[in-house]
Every structure is written in structure tokens, then in C-alpha cells.
Amino acid sequence: MTAEKLLGDIIVFRDAVLEEIRNAESLGALEELRASAIGRARGRLNDFKKHLPGLPAADKPPFGQRFNAVKVELESAIDARHAELSASAPAPAALDLSMPARRQWRGAKHPVTIVMEEIEVIFRDLGFTIATGPEAEHEWYNFGALNFPPDHPAMDMHDTLYLERGGLLRTHTSPVQIRTLQSYPPPIRIIAPGNVFRRDFFDASHAPMFAQIEGMAVDEGISFVDLKATLANFANRFFGETKTRFRPSFFPFTEPSAEMDVSCRICNGAGCATCKQTGWVEILGCGMMHPSVLEAAGLNAQRYSGWAFGMGPGRMALQRFGIPDIRIEYDSDISFLEQFAQ
Ligand SMILES: [Zn+2]
């Protein structure tokens, strides 16, 4: 390429870039242009330098001068356009010092978790150990070992979610009792907290998945007196000074069986909508463990006896915190949950 042609091309390039600079409508576009036209790394202007070694010695100085002059001209044109665009850009908004600071996020435990932890603390003080087990269970652990005869209507009551090959989602935490009895010799005192599953629709007081806490004590000479004393002690600690009563009930895995009520905290036993005008609120089911359950777990029922109870921390949270509808506990509504921040 001749020096004359090269000097002409560089002027054509300069004019094209000057046109692009005039047309740049934003600082971002202008800076992109600066990089692509005269940038050290990928500026198109540098392409002209590649021809320098091939030029006759006499033509090198005029080319170098032209090259530098164009570079300086383009730089100052870009700077000028930059100043122009900066001047017309909207000024940043003034600081509004009266704007409230962003609130700090305060984490909160879920009300059901709070209730479960309180229950666990009380029973640990009474010498109970926390035990857990699988949520997907064998039918035998969920029903068979717990003295549910095959096709017993009590199994309908539980409306089970069955899995393939005889498995199911546990309908109560009672399988943990059997697993514990199989693994450890008496004396045993455990509570088993965990999630359980039923084929219930969501309504104000039912959910297809909910937390349960069961407890069990097994040893020689354990009687209903121990059961009543332990649960009355628990109720007084959990609810504050309260009256309790036991009503006969039925569960396949306990005999005799009972429901325990506490006097309604909202009306102090006078009767209100929450306690359906009875003055009492049911909080748990309990009873002496059926000898068949002890035998199924491999214990000698002649030698050992025990009792068990089960309660729903979700419903207890309704009572404790005055929550009107159990579905609120599942909503993950921040404005509800943050009320429990400590
Ligand atoms: Zn009441």
C-alpha cells in the first residue's frame, strides 16, 4: 500500500469516527466508541500502524505525524461530546434525609416450632429423651405393631396416604415407639416429635400434614398414676396453673385409653365459642400401652408395662397464641410470622 493511499484512508476513517461521535446519544455508547475506535486493545485506528514497517523510510515520519494528529483529534472530539452528554444528563436526585431507614429483618421461629420446643424442654426436665424416626414407614410399624387388626375401621379414621409396595406416610409418630422398644431395653422414657400425614382436606382445624409429639414411658411397675401425674405436671407448666380431666376414649394401641382436657384458658372454664361452651379444651390422647404392642416390640408384657400419649402442637399453638384458623400456620405469611420474633 502506498503512503499516499494510507494517508487518504486515515482521513476517511477519521471523518467516519467523527460522525459516529456526533451521533452517540449516551455516555455508554460514547465510551464503547472510544474503545472500538482509538482504544489500546481493539481500537480500529491501530490497524493503520500495521502498514508502517512496509513503508519507505522517507514516508514514515509524515505517516507517524498524521496518525498521532488523528488520534489526538478523535480523543478531544470524544471528550467534548462526553462533556456535552454529561451536561444534559439529569442531575442525581438530592438526598432525602427524611426517608425512613430500611427496617432490620428480624427472624422468627414458627409458632408450631415454639410450642414444640417448649414441650420438649418440659419433658426433658422430666427425664425424657427425644427420639425420631422415618416419615415413610412400613405398614407394620404404623398399624400392625400397634394392635390395629387388618381392615379395622380405626385405619379408615387415619385416612392413610399409601406408597408403593406396602409403604405409607406415617399417620402418627407411634412407629417411633416400636422402633425404640426394639432398640433399647427398658426403662425407657421418650418423646417423639415429627411430621405426620393424613388424607385430610385443609379446613379450619385439619391439614394433610401436621406435627405431632408422642411420649412413652416403659418400665416395670408403670401405672396410670404415673401417666396422670406426668401429664398434669406438663399441663401446669405449659398452660400455667390449670385444671385437667381425663375422659375415657378408645385407641387400638392403649387400654384403658383416655383424652385429657385442660380448662379453657380463654373463658377460665365458664364456656365460650373456642371451647364450644364446655369450659374444657381437649389437648391429647393417652393410655396404658396395650400388652399386644409391648409383645409386638419384643417385650415381656407380664414383666413390663407402660403408657403413651400423643398431642398436636399445631392445635396447641392455636390455643396458646389465639390463632383462629390452622391454615394460617401453613401460609408462610411474613406479617403473621414476624409477630413471633423474639
Ligand atoms: Zn372457653
Side-chain angles (χ1 to χ4, degrees):
M1 184 176 285
T2 65
E4 199 177 340
K5 168 97 170 75
L6 207 51
L7 291 173
D9 283 354
I10 206 167
I11 293 302
V12 170
F13 171 77
R14 180 200 67 180
D15 291 346
V17 174
L18 286 173
E19 176 76 18
E20 287 179 58
I21 292 170
R22 278 193 295 277
N23 292 336
E25 289 299 337
S26 71
L27 292 173
L30 191 66
E31 289 312 310
E32 169 55 28
L33 183 55
R34 189 196 297 271
S36 71
I38 56 172
R40 200 179 288 265
R42 57 186 175 95
R44 286 167 282 157
L45 181 62
N46 291 332
D47 291 345
F48 290 99
K49 260 190 185 165
K50 291 174 191 159
H51 300 289
L52 190 62
L55 289 178
D59 291 335
K60 283 182 182 175
F63 171 79
Q65 284 161 16
R66 175 74 52 95
F67 180 92
N68 287 330
V70 164
K71 190 172 184 188
V72 168
E73 189 180 352
L74 290 177
E75 260 171 4
S76 54
I78 288 170
D79 288 344
R81 182 67 182 146
H82 193 284
E84 231 173 81
L85 288 170
S86 298
S88 60
L95 289 177
D96 178 2
L97 297 176
S98 69
M99 193 171 118
R102 284 215 182 110
R103 218 157 42 110
Q104 285 287 312
W105 175 258
R106 290 167 71 218
K109 283 181 181 168
H110 193 281
V112 176
T113 304
I114 294 172
V115 165
M116 289 177 82
E117 288 181 352
E118 274 185 44
I119 294 170
E120 288 169 11
V121 165
I122 293 171
F123 279 99
R124 288 179 78 150
D125 284 353
L126 292 170
F128 285 69
T129 303
I130 294 171
T132 56
E135 294 181 349
E137 263 295 3
H138 297 285
E139 199 167 2
W140 184 80
Y141 278 102
N142 198 78
F143 292 124
L146 292 159
N147 202 35
F148 284 78
D151 304 320
H152 191 278
M155 286 162 77
D156 291 344
M157 183 174 88
H158 279 241
D159 270 332
T160 310
L161 290 157
Y162 284 93
L163 305 172
E164 287 177 358
R165 296 199 295 271
L168 49 76
L169 294 180
R170 66 182 182 189
T171 58
H172 45 194
T173 50
S174 309
V176 179
Q177 296 178 21
I178 304 299
R179 290 179 177 277
T180 305
L181 290 172
Q182 286 180 330
S183 307
Y184 303 94
I188 289 172
R189 278 174 290 184
I190 57 152
I191 54 168
N195 289 327
V196 302
F197 306 84
R198 309 251 175 115
R199 280 184 56 186
D200 277 332
F201 289 105
F202 259 125
D203 65 26
S205 54
H206 293 85
M209 187 209 83
F210 55 95
Q212 192 174 54
I213 294 187
E214 295 200 355
M216 170 180 77
V218 176
D219 198 0
E220 294 180 30
I222 293 276
S223 77
F224 206 95
V225 174
D226 305 306
L227 171 63
K228 280 194 77 167
T230 303
L231 293 181
N233 180 292
F234 160 73
N236 280 318
R237 278 192 63 183
F238 185 82
F239 291 106
E241 196 67 28
T242 187
K243 279 189 289 190
T244 55
R245 73 172 184 185
F246 287 73
R247 287 178 293 108
S249 185
F250 169 79
F251 305 107
F253 33 85
T254 47
E255 178 62 36
S257 305
E259 313 260 8
M260 187 174 93
D261 299 341
V262 294
S263 57
C264 177
R265 300 183 73 229
I266 297 177
C267 61
N268 275 325
C272 69
T274 300
C275 59
K276 300 195 182 82
Q277 310 304 328
T278 62
W280 296 95
V281 177
E282 179 195 320
I283 61 158
L284 58 83
C286 60
M288 296 303 294
M289 289 176 76
H290 198 288
S292 304
V293 174
L294 294 169
E295 304 263 341
L299 263 64
N300 178 354
Q302 299 292 324
R303 182 178 171 194
Y304 294 110
S305 57
W307 46 255
F309 64 85
M311 56 188 151
R315 292 203 183 160
M316 293 171 82
L318 300 185
Q319 275 282 312
R320 162 60 66 86
F321 300 113
I323 301 166
D325 189 319
I326 206 161
R327 285 169 290 193
I328 297 172
E329 291 178 355
Y330 295 82
D331 277 349
S332 301
D333 179 342
I334 299 294
S335 62
F336 166 72
L337 293 172
E338 70 183 355
Q339 297 174 53
F340 299 94
Q342 310 269 307

